[in-house]
Amino acid sequence: MTAEQILKIALPSKGALEKGAMNLLSACGLTVSRPSERQYFGSIPALPQVKVLFQRAADIFTKVEEGSVDLGITGYDVVSEESQSDDDVIVIWDKLGYGKCEVVLAVPESWVDVSSIEDLAELTLLFKEKGKNLRIATKYNNLTRKWLYEKLIVHFSLVAVQGAMEAAPSMGYADMIADVTSTGTTLRENRLKRIEGGTLLKSQACLIGNKRLLQESEAKLETTKVFLELIEAQMESKKYVSITANVDGKSADEIGDLLMNKSGLSGITGLQGPTIAKVYSGEKNDWYAATIVVKQEMLLPAINHLRKVGGTDITVSSPNYVFGSKSQTYEAFLEKLN
């Protein structure tokens, strides 16, 4: 395999995004081997054609954009801040299910008259009348500016801050902040409050790729397909459970008809219907094993339905993967690529 055929993936090197990425890939059968936390390179033994590069989450967008790597997992907030209409970065998967947070506007708790975005708009006009601009500390300059302009708020200035963003208002070099939060605890500890309508972005971990590099290599596309298929199938599997019950009956057809005809709710007879198989116990009997795969929220209704047709010895298991006739994620990715 040539170097041009190797698919390079950047993963976060530390923190919640790093842990989430490692857990996600491990659950998909794509366990990442990283001999030491001090090493910047790793591998995925199940996909030897993949090379892993560990980087700060904030730098992964740049690595993908400049072509140092083909794919990257980072926060959607980073992508929203850094992306430009003319760059080569495409968002392949915007919600990987972990690293959830929000970019919000927060003002001092002492601002009792400011509780909404409308109040903030009025405040900027009061500042203007006094010959000042409202100072907003943030590392999301592009995102904040664009969002406020869309709200027709234009009288403000953005302040670059090194270190703890939340301390900026109390230290006096900003009036308020636009920053990321997950629980709101840090904001409260620094006597800041969110305002109604002041959520700039809801973010979580996402998968991005370099459009140009992926278009140029069939080998990389094929590896990307495997990568996406496994993640999609594993994430889809979380929605379902497999239920098996022993049912006494004269034939498989009879049991199948009972299950289908007595179902009062949709979605309790399986994805396509039940699977019925003869139970061989070494004794003469008329037992059959009926298996249905249903969504998690239909678990108890499905069990009760099996009981109504004589089901017993009911077992429940969770599938590791659920594959469709084709990968919807990969098909959507190809459309973006082309």
Side-chain angles (χ1 to χ4, degrees):
M1 182 175 295
T2 64
E4 289 74 20
Q5 295 174 311
I6 295 292
L7 184 75
K8 290 172 286 186
I9 302 175
L11 299 180
S13 58
K14 60 177 66 176
L17 284 179
E18 184 264 347
K19 182 178 179 180
M22 300 292 266
N23 289 341
L24 171 65
L25 296 178
S26 179
C28 298
L30 298 171
T31 301
V32 178
S33 174
R34 187 183 186 186
S36 167
E37 291 186 359
R38 296 181 179 180
Q39 292 190 11
Y40 292 100
F41 296 98
S43 62
I44 299 178
L47 285 178
Q49 63 273 41
V50 169
K51 183 177 182 180
V52 176
L53 175 68
F54 291 95
Q55 291 285 300
R56 291 195 317 146
D59 296 333
I60 287 177
F61 180 92
T62 301
K63 292 297 180 183
V64 174
E65 198 277 331
E66 69 186 15
S68 298
V69 295
D70 304 290
L71 302 177
I73 292 179
T74 187
Y76 189 66
D77 57 317
V78 175
V79 178
S80 297
E81 171 65 19
E82 300 293 338
S83 63
Q84 303 293 329
S85 59
D86 58 347
D87 61 38
D88 286 323
V89 179
I90 57 173
V91 177
I92 301 172
W93 208 317
D94 62 348
K95 297 176 181 177
L96 289 176
Y98 69 92
K100 296 180 181 180
C101 61
E102 296 179 345
V103 181
V104 302
L105 295 175
V107 302
E109 291 178 349
S110 58
W111 291 12
V112 293
D113 293 329
V114 180
S115 59
S116 68
I117 190 65
E118 291 78 14
D119 295 336
L120 186 66
E122 292 181 9
L123 184 64
T124 62
L125 295 178
L126 291 175
F127 270 63
K128 182 191 176 187
E129 290 176 1
K130 296 179 181 180
K132 300 189 296 183
N133 270 344
L134 185 73
R135 299 168 301 164
I136 306 174
T138 186
K139 62 180 179 180
Y140 298 100
N141 289 345
N142 297 328
L143 181 61
T144 303
R145 184 182 296 107
K146 179 181 178 182
W147 191 89
L148 288 172
Y149 281 174
E150 289 175 352
K151 301 295 182 181
L152 303 180
I153 298 176
V154 296
H155 303 296
F156 63 88
S157 58
L158 301 179
V159 180
V161 175
Q162 300 295 329
M165 190 75 61
E166 296 84 0
S170 62
M171 295 293 289
Y173 48 84
D175 301 302
M176 57 176 291
I177 69 171
D179 199 18
V180 65
T181 183
S182 53
T183 64
T185 300
T186 305
L187 294 179
R188 291 190 293 271
E189 288 177 346
N190 286 274
R191 301 186 180 279
L192 298 173
K193 65 178 182 179
R194 297 175 58 167
I195 60 174
E196 183 180 349
T199 300
L200 281 63
L201 180 76
K202 291 186 177 182
S203 174
Q204 58 182 280
C206 67
L207 177 68
I208 58 177
N210 184 292
K211 182 177 181 179
R212 175 181 54 81
L213 293 178
L214 294 171
Q215 283 176 330
E216 293 174 351
S217 173
E218 287 294 332
K220 290 181 179 181
L221 274 181
E222 188 59 35
T223 304
T224 300
K225 181 179 181 181
V226 174
F227 193 74
L228 295 180
E229 285 247 34
L230 288 172
I231 295 177
E232 179 183 76
Q234 197 279 328
M235 294 180 72
E236 191 71 11
S237 72
K238 295 179 181 178
K239 303 175 184 177
Y240 298 95
V241 289
S242 177
I243 310 170
T244 299
N246 289 329
V247 184
D248 189 14
K250 295 179 181 179
S251 68
D253 287 339
E254 178 191 62
I255 294 169
D257 289 341
L258 283 172
L259 285 169
M260 296 300 291
N261 294 332
K262 289 191 175 183
S263 59
L265 295 172
S266 61
I268 63 173
T269 57
L271 297 179
Q272 299 295 335
T275 299
I276 315 295
K278 178 70 176 175
V279 175
Y280 294 93
S281 63
E283 299 179 6
K284 199 170 182 179
N285 60 62
D286 293 317
W287 286 99
Y288 291 84
T291 299
I292 56 177
V293 178
V294 300
K295 288 189 175 181
Q296 286 273 3
E297 60 265 26
M298 300 303 296
L299 173 59
L300 289 179
I303 287 176
N304 288 330
H305 180 54
L306 285 166
R307 285 170 172 164
K308 286 179 182 178
V309 299
T312 186
D313 306 321
I314 302 172
T315 61
V316 179
S317 60
S318 299
N320 292 325
Y321 302 95
V322 173
F323 290 93
S325 58
K326 59 183 178 180
S327 170
Q328 299 296 328
T329 304
Y330 184 69
E331 293 299 316
F333 160 64
L334 287 181
E335 287 185 14
K336 290 182 180 179
L337 206 59
N338 297 325

